[in-house]
Amino acid sequence: MEGWERAFVLHGWPYSETSLMLDLFTEGQGRVRLLAKGARSRRSNLKGCLQPFTPLLVRWGGRGEVKTLRNAEAISLGLPLTGMMLYSGLYVNELLSRVLEQGTNYSVLFFDYLQCLQALAAEESSPEVALRQFELALLGHLGYGLDFLHCAGSGELVDDGMTYRYREEKGFIASLVVDHYSFTGRELRALAERQFPDPTTLRAAKRFTRMALKPYLGGKPLKSRELFRQFVRKQPDTPVDEA
């Protein structure tokens, strides 16, 4: 690759004594895996910038699935995520590492991701709204085209006071059954608008995104969720459950 690409590190792990293997989310080529040779050595000038949540400009080259990092520069300081927001950011990174195909352009999602990180960095109380908005955006970019505003059975607009049951690959169908798969018309409108004005609509959004993302994640649990659980257990006054 000849030009520079805007990117974020999603995940990095040691490779040999002095190198790093990196999963990056780039603006133009989506998720790419790069070998950063010598990045762990004492003399490397890459140590400080190859960190999650730091906006980067990168160049890479080579053939095959794993390319070689040529250059990397930090555009600005890393976004200041701490505590609950840090664990939420790690969850978003792991989500992208798990569901995005390598080398596929997700340029619009790249800015949804940046917006999510900025929202987390600015948030002081709860990451829930930012996470649900990003998950819904991610599902849209993955091709999960679901109509929240119309009953899949009749085609009519959803009614705020009615209940609709989610059926995978079909949508929401009016139903008298109220269970884990049921949503009110008001909750579906909130999902369509990605706006959650109260705890009820926010809980419904979390319930839906969990169901919708499950096929993409498979049976392997997310490590970041377990880390989040451990963090919350140590914060007895924390009103937020896991990401």
Side-chain angles (χ1 to χ4, degrees):
M1 178 184 172
E2 297 299 327
W4 291 86
E5 187 91 25
R6 285 188 282 191
F8 282 91
V9 172
L10 296 176
H11 180 53
W13 60 99
Y15 185 87
S16 76
E17 292 185 2
T18 59
S19 299
L20 277 174
M21 192 68 75
L22 302 168
D23 263 351
L24 266 61
F25 185 30
T26 70
E27 180 181 358
Q29 299 193 43
R31 185 171 68 86
V32 296
R33 182 158 293 179
L34 303 179
L35 175 63
K37 293 182 178 180
R40 299 171 60 217
S41 66
R42 293 182 179 181
R43 297 181 180 181
S44 175
N45 58 0
L46 297 175
K47 277 186 175 181
C49 70
L50 295 179
Q51 302 294 327
F53 319 124
T54 298
L56 301 172
L57 283 174
V58 298
R59 294 174 62 200
W60 66 85
R63 297 180 179 179
E65 187 174 330
V66 179
K67 309 295 193 298
T68 301
L69 181 69
R70 302 300 188 201
N71 303 94
E73 296 178 3
I75 299 173
S76 66
L77 295 175
L79 290 155
L81 302 183
T82 58
M84 191 186 306
M85 306 309 160
L86 173 61
Y87 286 97
S88 298
L90 293 174
Y91 162 73
V92 170
N93 279 6
E94 187 177 8
L95 200 57
L96 291 178
S97 291
R98 290 278 295 274
V99 306
L100 295 187
E101 295 181 357
Q102 286 199 56
T104 300
N105 185 310
Y106 293 101
S107 57
V108 177
L109 180 62
F110 183 85
F111 289 98
D112 288 324
Y113 172 74
L114 176 58
Q115 185 177 8
C116 178
L117 295 186
Q118 290 172 332
L120 291 174
E123 182 58 62
E124 296 181 356
S125 56
S126 170
E128 293 287 312
V129 171
L131 292 179
R132 302 296 82 84
Q133 289 174 336
F134 179 75
E135 288 167 342
L136 288 167
L138 174 60
L139 285 165
H141 291 295
L142 291 174
Y144 197 91
L146 198 61
D147 186 351
F148 295 106
L149 297 179
H150 294 84
C151 172
S154 66
E156 296 179 357
L157 283 168
V158 297
D159 183 289
D160 283 6
M162 289 186 64
T163 300
Y164 301 84
R165 198 165 189 270
Y166 172 64
R167 293 188 182 179
E168 192 173 343
E169 297 183 358
K170 290 185 178 180
F172 298 91
I173 298 177
S175 173
L176 296 177
V177 176
V178 177
D179 60 13
H180 181 71
Y181 296 93
S182 302
F183 298 83
T184 66
R186 180 173 177 271
E187 291 167 346
L188 293 181
R189 289 184 187 278
L191 283 165
E193 297 168 0
R194 300 181 192 172
Q195 297 295 325
F196 314 108
D198 53 53
T200 299
T201 54
L202 194 54
R203 283 195 298 269
K206 184 169 188 172
R207 187 158 46 93
F208 172 74
T209 56
R210 281 286 182 88
M211 289 189 290
L213 286 168
K214 188 175 181 180
Y216 295 97
L217 294 171
K220 186 179 178 181
L222 290 166
K223 295 179 181 178
S224 53
R225 278 186 182 155
E226 180 55 35
L227 291 174
F228 193 90
R229 290 191 195 103
Q230 294 175 13
F231 170 76
V232 171
R233 289 192 201 107
K234 296 177 183 179
Q235 311 291 322
D237 297 327
T238 302
V240 182
D241 54 357
E242 67 195 65

